[in-house]
């Protein structure tokens, strides 16, 4: 599973507002993921970009919400030229061929590692780690291919290029992505003993949020971003609009399916990251949740040291001192978050911390700590839009203050093996 990101800029610190309850939307539509480049956009089979605003109505229709354009949606940008379409088609051809070629390799790997590790695992009653990891790799590749085939079927069944057809394909893509993530989570539960405990518990009664949400999450460990997206879709009943790293286009399933729902790949092909993220946030509606990871990458002690040094080079000594006191999280880069808050002023903000996945920070750590010995803990708090500061400077201080709160919670849950400074 892969990892989303945000844009970056330095910020200050502050205090968080009161927490509220995260509403639970209807489970009627199991929906999923997001992503694209340059600007939030849907894509046709040939790789033509379609603005994210066109995909939002379809996502809402699929989840039971009204299927009409978001008010205040930005202007529709022209589709990329022939050169861009050819690059997209070439990339998808290469990655699809590689995916198909890797599946028999992974199947052979499952057999080989099972035979080679069987004597030791049987005698020592070990956890069969090589077999479990190879099996998960094989399942991931097969699920990826299944998603790619499903996307092709959806297009062939409804090949028209008009807005209505694109909206229908966006709604169907949310459904396919939701099911793919659900399959991967169930496989991780069986192979690796994944268990998730959420505090506070999500509301028992399913109901649609009355405002859109901006979800800011901690980024650490293997698959944390995909687990968060799966929970938002299937447990909270929300439609995540996500900011992701452009490298995820190397996954052909994500490249195609995410192109049909609101998303933003970074760096964008045109303009700034902040502009692309703001465009994704424009016109958010109830049941929409824009997901962004302000740290910009998974926590490591080295990245923490570099982030603090960068703040010092910029002359932000007070902020650098506060960042140095963070032990389990990176200081947030707030440019992307500030762009979201400015573009979606009515959205409540949900902060998500987690502990348990963070111990798996490298292949060596995965070998040591899989299967899981304890549940993955997830903790969230919600701040109403009315309690969010109004100016960028105050919001920057406030955001760092929320990250200090996240660091304290993580420190309370951390085991000795958790990476920290």
């Amino acid at each position: 599973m892969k990892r989303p990101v945000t844009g970056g800029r330095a910020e200050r610190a502050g205090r968080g507002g009161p927490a509220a309850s995260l509403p639970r939307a209807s489970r009627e539509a199991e929906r999923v993921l997001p992503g694209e480049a340059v600007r939030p956009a849907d894509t046709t089979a040939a790789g033509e970009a379609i603005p994210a605003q066109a995909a939002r109505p379809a996502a809402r229709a699929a989840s039971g919400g009204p299927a009409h354009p978001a008010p205040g949606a930005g202007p529709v940008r022209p589709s990329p030229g022939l050169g861009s379409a050819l690059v997209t088609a070439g990339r998808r051809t290469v990655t699809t061929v590689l995916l198909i070629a890797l599946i028999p390799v992974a199947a052979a790997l499952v057999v080989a590692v099972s035979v080679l590790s069987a004597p030791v695992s049987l005698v020592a009653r070990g956890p069969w780690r090589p077999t479990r990891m190879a099996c998960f790799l094989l399942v991931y590749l097969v699920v990826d291919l299944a998603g790619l085939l499903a996307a092709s079927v959806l297009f062939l069944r409804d090949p028209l290029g008009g807005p209505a057809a694109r909206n229908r394909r966006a709604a169907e893509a949310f459904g396919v992505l939701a099911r793919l993530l659900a399959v991967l989570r169930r496989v991780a539960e069986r192979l690796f003993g994944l268990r998730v405990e959420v505090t506070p518990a999500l509301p028992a009664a399913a109901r649609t949020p009355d405002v859109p949400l901006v979800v800011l999450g901690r980024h650490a460990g293997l698959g944390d971003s995909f687990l968060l997206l799966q929970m938002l879709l299937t447990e909270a009943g929300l439609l995540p609009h996500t900011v992701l790293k452009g490298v995820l286009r190397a996954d052909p399933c994500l490249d195609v399916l995410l192109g049909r729902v609101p998303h933003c790949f970074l760096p964008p092909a045109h303009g700034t990251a902040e502009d692309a993220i703001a465009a994704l946030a424009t016109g958010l509606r109830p049941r929409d949740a824009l997901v962004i990871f302000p740290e910009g990458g998974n926590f490591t002690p080295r990245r923490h040291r570099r982030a603090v040094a960068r703040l010092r080079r910029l002359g932000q000594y007070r902020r650098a001192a506060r960042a140095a006191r963070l032990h389990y999280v990176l200081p947030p880069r707030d440019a992307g978050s500030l762009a979201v808050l400015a573009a979606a002023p009515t959205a409540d903000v949900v902060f998500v911390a987690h502990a348990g996945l963070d111990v798996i920070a490298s292949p060596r750590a995965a070998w040591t700590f899989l299967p899981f010995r304890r549940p993955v803990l997830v903790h969230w708090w919600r701040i109403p839009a009315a309690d969010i500061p109004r100016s960028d400077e105050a919001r920057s201080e406030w955001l760092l203050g929320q990250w200090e709160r996240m660091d304290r919670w993580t420190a309370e849950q951390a085991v000795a093996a958790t990476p920290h400074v």
Side-chain angles (χ1 to χ4, degrees):
M1 294 194 280
K2 321 282 199 258
R3 308 168 183 167
V5 298
T6 80
R9 177 172 76 189
E11 43 291 345
R12 327 233 186 289
R15 299 179 59 91
S21 245
L22 176 63
R24 185 188 191 119
S26 169
R27 292 193 181 202
E28 164 211 348
E30 242 188 325
R31 303 289 176 253
V32 180
L33 237 90
E36 211 337 283
V38 176
R39 49 198 125 39
D42 191 13
T43 60
T44 65
E48 281 189 275
I50 292 148
Q53 285 81 4
R56 288 193 189 104
R60 286 191 292 275
S63 61
H68 53 76
V76 174
R77 296 174 184 259
S79 297
L82 178 61
S84 177
L86 290 175
V87 169
T88 298
R91 180 184 69 243
R92 291 176 177 176
T93 299
V94 171
T95 56
T96 300
V97 169
L98 287 175
L99 172 64
I100 295 172
L102 283 173
I103 290 177
V105 173
L109 182 63
V110 171
V111 175
V113 299
S114 298
V115 171
L116 293 174
S117 64
V120 175
S121 295
L122 289 172
V123 171
R125 296 187 179 182
W128 293 81
R129 286 191 185 96
T131 301
R132 292 172 190 261
M133 293 178 180
C135 283
F136 188 84
L137 173 62
L138 177 60
V139 170
Y140 185 93
L141 295 174
V142 171
V143 167
D144 217 52
L145 181 59
L148 194 58
L149 293 174
S152 301
V153 170
L154 295 180
F155 178 78
L156 293 175
R157 192 173 65 191
D158 196 2
L160 300 178
R166 292 196 296 267
N167 290 345
R168 287 192 297 270
R169 287 199 293 269
E172 292 168 334
F174 265 113
V176 171
L177 286 165
R179 289 189 286 274
L180 297 180
L181 285 184
V183 168
L184 290 177
R185 176 168 173 179
R186 286 196 295 271
V187 172
E189 289 171 347
R190 291 180 176 254
L191 289 178
F192 302 131
L194 174 66
R195 291 176 295 134
V196 181
E197 296 180 1
V198 182
T199 56
L202 295 174
R207 62 187 182 91
T208 303
D210 54 358
V211 295
L213 300 177
V214 172
V215 179
L216 305 180
R218 180 191 180 212
H219 212 1
L222 180 66
D224 62 338
S225 55
F226 275 16
L227 179 59
L228 173 59
L229 294 175
Q230 191 272 333
M231 292 172 61
L232 291 174
L233 284 158
T234 61
E235 297 183 26
L238 300 171
L239 299 176
H241 300 191
T242 309
V243 182
L244 308 102
K245 288 182 177 178
V247 69
L248 293 185
R249 290 194 192 92
D251 184 314
C253 177
L254 294 180
D255 192 16
V256 173
L257 278 178
L258 294 189
R260 287 160 168 75
V261 299
H263 67 285
C264 176
F265 278 131
L266 297 181
H270 305 288
T272 66
E274 290 81 1
D275 289 341
I277 294 170
L280 181 63
T282 300
L284 287 175
R285 302 288 297 273
R287 185 173 278 176
D288 292 343
L290 191 146
V291 181
I292 193 166
F293 294 81
E295 290 162 290
N298 274 342
F299 173 90
T300 66
R302 181 182 179 187
R303 284 179 177 165
H304 182 275
R305 290 191 294 270
R306 289 168 59 186
V308 173
R310 176 178 174 273
L311 292 173
R312 288 171 178 156
R313 285 197 306 271
L314 294 173
Q316 299 178 19
Y317 301 111
R318 177 174 171 271
R319 185 176 186 81
R322 295 182 66 181
R325 293 195 291 270
L326 300 174
H327 298 293
Y328 293 90
V329 299
L330 301 175
R333 300 180 173 187
D334 65 359
S337 302
L338 295 181
V340 170
L341 295 177
T346 63
D348 289 357
V349 176
V350 174
F351 292 90
V352 181
H354 64 83
L357 288 174
D358 42 13
V359 297
I360 307 177
S362 66
R364 181 178 179 181
W367 182 268
T368 303
F369 295 105
L370 291 176
F372 291 101
R373 297 175 179 82
R374 67 171 193 151
V376 172
L377 306 178
V378 178
H379 181 67
W380 60 269
W381 61 98
R382 177 177 171 181
I383 298 180
D387 295 331
I388 298 172
R390 298 293 116 189
S391 71
D392 276 359
E393 183 174 358
R395 284 175 174 174
S396 181
E397 294 284 323
W398 170 79
L399 181 61
L400 183 55
Q402 299 301 317
W403 241 249
E404 289 172 330
R405 174 178 176 177
M406 191 174 294
D407 186 67
R408 290 192 297 270
W409 180 87
T410 307
E412 292 172 358
Q413 315 303 324
V415 297
T418 303
H420 64 281
V421 293

